[in-house]
Amino acid sequence: MSVSTASQRVEFQERARQALQDTSLQRALAKARGGFVDHRLDAIEALPEFDAIRDAARDIKNHVLANLDGYLELYEQQVIENGGQVHWARDADEACQIVAGICKDVGAKTVTKGKSMVSEEMHLNPVLEAAGMTVVETDLGEYIVQLAGETPSHIIAPAVHKTREQITDLFHEHHSPLGYTDRVTQREALVNEARSVLRERFVTADVGITGANFLVAETGANVIVTNEGNGDLTSCLPRVHIVTAGIEKVVPSLDDLSVLLRVLARSATGQEFSAYTSLYSGPRRADDIEGPEAYHVVLLDNGRSRLLGGQYQPMLRCIRCGACLNHCPVYGSIGGHAYGWVYSGPMGSVLTPLLNGFDQSLDLPNACTLNGRCKEVCPVRIPLSDLLLKHRVEQHERRLSPGFGRFLLGVWAWLACRPRLYQGVMALPLRLMYLLGRRRGVLAWLPGAGGWTGSRDFPAPAGRSFMRQWQNRKVKS
Amino acid sequence: MNQARDQILGTIRKSLAAGEPRTLMRLEELRSRIQHSRPQVQPEFDDDLLSRFCQKHVAVHGTYDRISVEQIESAVVKHLAGMGLDAQWHLGSGPLLDATQWTDSVFVYRKGADKDTKVALSEAVAAVAETGTLVVCSGPAVPPSQNYLPDDHLIVVDRRCIVRHMEDAWAILRESGVAKGRAINLITGPSKTGDIEQTIQYGAHGPRRLHLLIVEDA
Amino acid sequence: MIEAQTHSPIKVGLFITCLADLMRPQVAFAAVALLERAGCRVRVAREQSCCGQPALNSGDRASTMNIAKSVIRAFSRDDFVVVPSGSCADTLINKYPDLFRHDVRWAGRAQGLADKTFELTTFLVDQLGAELDQVSYPGVCAYHDSCSGLRELAIQQQPRTLLDRVEGLSIRELEDGNACCGFGGLFSVKYPDLSGRIVSDKCAQIAQTEADTVLGGDLGCLLNIAGRLRREGRDLKVFHVAEVLAGMADGPAIGEAESEDKA
């Protein structure tokens, strides 16, 4: 494994700095922040059984992961019985080749996509485009970021980082050639314009690609949850329906599915239930008058199978609701793109190093205050902040963390185990800081902690430590 | 391809064996767990099914009329007229719709919806009181496009089809043999999006309005 | 709940915390005063420095274990260990046992320390049911619940219960009181821009309450918040909850200059 740490660090920190200075991004994030938190809280306060359902959801996921090979086989059998095909992909490239191959075989020109984070993980769009196909994202948020030449910055709200003004500009630029020459600025008009443009795409697409929130072993169905209905139009109208899904998405039965659905929408948007939850299995049946002629599922591993049985296995319980993003102060400050890969926020900081390589994302597990709110809100009780700490341990033990910091920490820890010496060594800097700061009560600049005092003062310490004062007090009494 | 399959399943087995000890459940045991699957924790509520269902349906921006079985056509026509729409629609299928004798004053299309479809009339296989959800299953005379392309989606619901929880709907689907159908669409309110400034806007890609005709005396 | 016997006072070891020791000794003095008034005999072990969070949160388990062992040894004689910080208490209570989970020699001792360790306000309220001496603090206070205390130790009601009895004091809740202040220990040093951004959000929420004082149970958060409030030029006072409860909040607040005659 290469040790390319320095440049990676700079990249995250640089992206984070740019994000903090991006006024449009900051305005968009500020607008989004409170809503998700409040709506989720309202939804769970209305459901006394929420915690019991979360426990059940966690247990179902644990049971599936402990028997993942078996459930995948059962699921596969059902898909085949329904007339569909299952493809297995070890990594993103393999998955892209499978999807591109299916599209080429049917002579696809236009491909519509319902939102699929796995296809983002695969970097599928460029592969299809290189093969001459037009790829259209149909989730409104994902469509907006596609027009902008970007990637989603949030699992369930891909364009959360875009302001209405930016969306107006994008639509005007891209829709004018299609005849929509009026510059629309109101939310309703923007939604209507996208509806009209995309409707044309839905009905002319040759292949529809969706993700899967769940795969049901009992029936062989893929489950797709949306509010817009774009996933359904992508699944129903084209000649071929391709589902891309991570191998961890399988659930045993419809009853298990119910448990997970009860926590998904509440955690994601604070809804009891999303507008559209659909189960699709296999191609159109013999006497159906519509529906795809072929149905393919591409199961992507991409490093997931290696995580089973290890300390990061709980991460595979993730149902991609985005609650941890919505409650993360770091995500709320910089948005998703600064994280550098398809998954962001706490779940991204855990998952990215696992799927992409530890040395590729050294900052992510460290850029966290360990406040634990992600763990608190997770609908399947993934101990996200604990997993981030495990990453830090692994970085330390593999000596991936910066050397100078490790050295300072080592010296400090050595001292901390020798309290009397520690107290002696601390006395001098303490006295100095006291003398420098006592007039104002704070220090506006502190050697060695320049960053800290970039945005806040450093409260001056008392001149002498408690331990010193306590010893003196004891002597006096 | 098979190589990838074997390798992925092999890695899964290897990883699991290296982890915490687990009870080895053979495929048959897993299959049996699925076959004997039971509802787990469910939200409890006291209100009667019809009022709970209606309340939840209205909460997600749906509208409804309670009608008798012979009023189906007139209720549809009246609802459409109220919005200035003609008496024509794409027609789905179900026990109530199939039994309705449509008069000459209305025009029904028995085919999949297209991009210009204004109105579709479907029948729910079940309705879930827990969440105000309609369950529509695809079939020879029920093309799923009717659920998503029209501006106005009307769904006929037999009051006796309202069940308490989602799991009760699954039980109906299993019994009637459609649990493995091509499309099972759970519909809870009209189409909407929050993707522009996280503010809800109705009619994203699917129906702008969802209206129910709850038949009380079927 | 513990019943104090007239003849044998409750023996409590005070874990000072490194920040109180170095930055704000008055917090530890206030903790001693509160415990003594509640009928405890307080011992301050000389052999203590820090709970080891900087090493723990940097992934340095070996160093943390060394520090943890010295803490476990230093407090082996005490009946109870009380900590005026939620995050340090969490380290002793939850993190030490986890660190030594597979160490047969130390697992029991770590659990022993964990079982007798309490955060200050939870000890006073949940363990002692203490009726504190009547003190007064004329102020409208915003209370900051620090994350480790709130989520790992469920500290939320206890400080409010105690503050309810302070004459002249009222509490205003923050709009999103469960949000982090952005301190995160070394996080604030490694990612100062991010940390600064988060604490400025926190301060904006504090300002919204129109409180004149900020209280909390964790000095790290309070230093962070006080530093940002001072930088923004806001004249809110920031105190550790123990200082107010012990009637010691009449001097300079955190980050406030000493008055002229004293300096």
Side-chain angles (χ1 to χ4, degrees), chain A residues 318-346:
Chain A
C318 178
I319 56 172
R320 309 287 192 265
C321 70
C324 61
L325 282 65
N326 298 336
H327 291 79
C328 174
V330 173
Y331 179 91
S333 299
I334 58 175
H337 288 151
Y339 289 77
W341 201 46
V342 42
Y343 302 112
S344 59

Side-chain angles (χ1 to χ4, degrees), chain B residues 35 43 45 60 86 89 104-106 131 151 182 214:
Chain B
Q35 276 159 1
F45 53 91
V60 291
D86 295 340
W89 55 83
D104 290 342
S105 59
V106 305
T131 49
D151 283 341
R182 156 65 192 161
I214 301 170

Side-chain angles (χ1 to χ4, degrees), chain A residues 382-446:
Chain A
I382 301 170
L384 287 155
S385 42
D386 300 345
L387 296 182
L388 288 171
L389 197 50
K390 288 184 195 296
H391 271 302
R392 295 186 191 183
V393 170
E394 200 146 343
Q395 284 185 7
H396 184 86
E397 287 172 359
R398 287 157 70 165
R399 301 189 155 272
L400 293 167
S401 43
F404 186 62
R406 301 162 58 86
F407 169 75
L408 284 183
L409 194 69
V411 172
W412 171 84
W414 186 85
L415 272 175
C417 296
R418 291 157 183 80
R420 281 164 205 262
L421 183 59
Y422 169 93
Q423 286 149 23
V425 170
M426 290 297 175
L428 182 63
L430 206 58
R431 192 73 196 159
L432 271 174
M433 277 159 64
Y434 163 71
L435 291 172
L436 285 169
R438 70 172 170 174
R439 185 179 297 276
R440 293 187 56 237
V442 289
L443 296 148
W445 180 76
L446 191 64

Side-chain angles (χ1 to χ4, degrees), chain C residues 218-238:
Chain C
D218 268 80
L219 208 40
C221 309
L222 296 174
L223 292 167
N224 184 38
I225 291 169
R228 179 64 197 176
L229 288 170
R230 284 299 308 271
R231 179 61 60 89
E232 290 180 0
R234 297 183 195 272
D235 59 353
L236 282 89
K237 290 175 180 293
V238 180

Side-chain angles (χ1 to χ4, degrees), chain A residues 85 87 89 92-109 111 122 124-133 135 206-207 209 239-242 244 294 296-298, chain B residues 1:
Chain A
Q85 292 181 53
H87 310 261
D93 282 345
E94 194 165 34
C96 284
Q97 292 319 312
I98 293 167
V99 174
I102 297 168
C103 293
K104 280 182 214 160
D105 284 351
V106 298
K109 293 191 180 64
V111 176
M122 289 156 55
L124 176 62
N125 292 7
V127 175
L128 297 182
E129 281 159 359
M133 288 168 239
V135 183
D206 306 295
V207 175
I209 301 175
R239 284 185 283 137
V240 177
H241 180 193
I242 304 175
T244 54
H296 300 267
V297 181
V298 181
Chain B
M1 212 85 90

Side-chain angles (χ1 to χ4, degrees), chain A residues 31-32 36 47 49 52-53 56 60 63 65-74 76-78 82 87-90 94 98 138-141 157-158 160 164 167 187-188 190-192 195 198-200 202-203 217-219 227-228 230 232-233 235-237 241 247 252-259 261-262 271-283 285 287-290 292 295 301 305-306 308-309 313, chain B residues 1 3-5 7-9 11-13 15-16 18-20 22-25 27 29-31 33-34 37-45 52 56 60 110-117 130-133 138-151 165-167 170 173-174 179-208:
Chain A
K31 207 154 192 156
F36 282 123
L47 181 66
E49 296 88 353
I53 298 175
I60 290 167
H63 168 75
L65 292 174
N67 299 282
L68 188 59
D69 50 340
Y71 278 119
L72 282 169
E73 286 188 77
L74 291 180
E76 183 188 39
Q77 283 172 15
Q78 280 301 323
N82 295 335
H87 310 261
W88 302 71
R90 283 164 286 201
E94 194 165 34
I98 293 167
T138 62
D139 171 86
L140 180 58
V160 68
R164 183 150 52 95
I167 296 167
R187 220 166 8 240
E188 187 178 358
L190 289 165
V191 171
N192 275 333
R195 175 188 174 101
L198 286 170
R199 188 152 279 222
E200 211 57 53
F202 280 126
V203 297
E218 177 183 350
T219 64
N227 277 313
E228 298 179 0
N230 64 304
D232 298 287
L233 291 169
S235 304
C236 295
L237 300 181
H241 180 193
I247 52 170
S253 71
L254 293 170
D255 297 312
D256 297 309
L257 172 67
S258 299
V259 174
L261 288 174
R262 284 189 182 106
Q271 292 171 275
E272 276 189 348
F273 217 62
S274 299
Y276 302 116
T277 298
S278 295
L279 290 75
Y280 293 106
S281 50
R285 304 300 191 256
D287 43 5
D288 282 355
I289 55 170
E290 68 168 33
Y295 175 86
D301 182 348
S305 58
R306 284 198 322 264
L308 290 164
Q313 175 172 318
Chain B
M1 212 85 90
Q3 198 192 341
R5 180 185 188 276
Q7 198 175 324
I8 292 169
L9 289 174
T11 312
I12 291 172
R13 289 179 188 123
S15 299
L16 287 173
E20 306 267 313
R22 64 179 181 131
T23 46
L24 279 170
M25 293 180 86
L27 272 193
E29 290 175 72
L30 297 181
R31 207 191 306 269
R33 184 191 182 279
I34 290 172
S37 142
R38 293 248 181 289
Q40 302 176 42
V41 213
Q42 295 173 316
E44 284 175 23
F45 53 91
R52 163 86 175 201
K56 289 292 173 189
V60 291
R110 296 173 199 274
K111 60 175 185 177
D114 56 53
K115 70 186 166 75
D116 299 315
T117 297
E130 175 189 353
T131 49
T133 299
S138 69
V142 189
S145 61
Q146 292 185 351
N147 298 331
Y148 302 100
L149 283 169
D151 283 341
H165 292 112
M166 217 184 310
E167 290 87 338
W170 303 140
L173 299 189
R174 287 185 190 116
K180 294 178 188 176
R182 156 65 192 161
I184 298 166
N185 300 123
L186 276 56
I187 300 171
T188 314
S191 162
K192 59 188 170 184
T193 182
D195 274 342
I196 300 179
E197 294 181 322
Q198 274 53 64
T199 307
I200 293 298
Q201 191 68 48
Y202 288 91
H205 292 298
R208 300 170 189 278

Side-chain angles (χ1 to χ4, degrees), chain C residues 19-231:
Chain C
L19 287 179
D21 181 37
L22 300 177
M23 300 295 297
R24 188 111 179 137
Q26 183 166 269
V27 171
F29 281 115
V32 171
L34 289 169
L35 289 166
E36 285 179 348
R37 284 177 212 164
C40 304
R41 194 165 73 207
V42 180
R43 187 181 80 93
V44 177
R46 183 79 200 272
E47 297 293 326
Q48 58 173 312
S49 58
C50 172
C51 66
Q53 272 187 85
L56 177 72
N57 293 344
S58 301
D60 186 349
R61 287 169 61 93
S63 296
T64 316
M65 285 162 97
N66 286 336
I67 296 171
K69 285 177 186 171
S70 76
V71 174
I72 292 167
R73 278 194 213 98
F75 289 91
S76 57
R77 289 164 42 197
D78 301 293
D79 293 342
F80 294 96
V81 178
V82 171
V83 190
S85 151
S87 72
C88 306
D90 168 50
T91 304
L92 269 59
I93 295 169
N94 294 316
K95 306 300 191 287
Y96 284 5
D98 186 54
L99 276 173
F100 293 109
R101 214 172 17 166
H102 302 298
D103 183 326
V104 280
R105 281 188 53 221
W106 284 89
R109 297 183 71 181
Q111 194 56 51
L113 175 68
D115 291 343
K116 65 181 184 181
T117 298
F118 297 90
E119 183 273 339
L120 176 65
T121 62
T122 53
F123 187 70
L124 292 172
V125 174
D126 300 341
Q127 299 303 311
L128 298 182
E131 295 284 333
L132 300 181
D133 293 353
Q134 185 65 49
V135 293
S136 71
Y137 180 86
V140 180
C141 301
Y143 197 88
H144 171 64
D145 296 293
S146 66
C147 296
S148 306
L150 179 68
R151 282 184 262 276
E152 302 296 332
L153 300 174
I155 304 169
Q156 191 167 27
Q157 198 45 53
Q158 298 89 339
R160 289 170 177 77
T161 302
L162 294 169
L163 288 168
D164 266 352
R165 301 187 203 132
V166 176
E167 200 180 70
L169 184 148
S170 62
I171 293 185
R172 297 253 171 96
E173 298 296 343
L174 301 186
E175 193 190 315
D176 187 13
N178 289 355
C180 175
C181 75
F183 174 61
L186 285 179
F187 170 81
S188 62
V189 179
K190 288 184 185 166
Y191 302 94
D193 296 345
L194 279 171
S195 171
R197 169 54 206 276
I198 299 167
V199 72
S200 65
D201 286 352
K202 176 59 74 176
C203 290
Q205 284 210 3
I206 289 170
Q208 254 180 26
T209 66
E210 296 183 348
D212 54 43
T213 304
V214 182
L215 299 180
D218 268 80
L219 208 40
C221 309
L222 296 174
L223 292 167
N224 184 38
I225 291 169
R228 179 64 197 176
L229 288 170
R230 284 299 308 271
R231 179 61 60 89

